[in-house]
Amino acid sequence: MAADETSIKVSTAARDRLAQLAAEHGTTIRSLVEDLAQGTPTQGEYAERAELARAELASALGSAPSPEAEAKAKALLERLGGAAHSSRAAA
């Protein structure tokens, strides 16, 4: 193992599922896990993005959206995300 590598322990079932997912995506378990780790924002990164979005909106609109408007937008995005997940699962 190279100096910048490590290993993780998962259940046999999780390993087998990762192997199946990797095969279906034409990649390796290693690449699948690395892509997940690099491509999934942390809570802190989400918070930074939200603050940047608020600043952009305030700059473009002259004021930041109200907490109520943010809550409505978040609910809409969550519904849309759920719909996307449902349609992928049905495919």
Side-chain angles (χ1 to χ4, degrees):
M1 205 174 334
D4 67 338
E5 294 179 345
T6 190
S7 62
I8 59 173
K9 290 187 178 193
V10 297
S11 67
T12 302
R15 184 216 47 217
D16 292 347
R17 181 162 177 85
L18 287 168
Q20 180 180 1
L21 290 168
E24 289 176 2
H25 288 90
T27 190
T28 63
I29 292 175
R30 176 187 182 136
S31 290
L32 194 70
V33 172
E34 287 180 354
D35 289 347
L36 174 67
Q38 293 302 315
T40 306
T42 64
Q43 292 298 313
E45 290 166 338
Y46 276 124
E48 289 174 14
R49 290 178 184 183
E51 191 54 41
L52 287 172
R54 280 187 208 93
E56 285 291 323
L57 286 170
S59 175
L61 303 175
S63 66
S66 68
E68 295 81 17
E70 282 191 38
K72 285 181 182 179
K74 183 177 180 181
L76 174 62
L77 290 172
E78 287 172 351
R79 282 196 310 275
L80 292 173
H85 287 277
S86 297
S87 64
R88 274 187 260 160

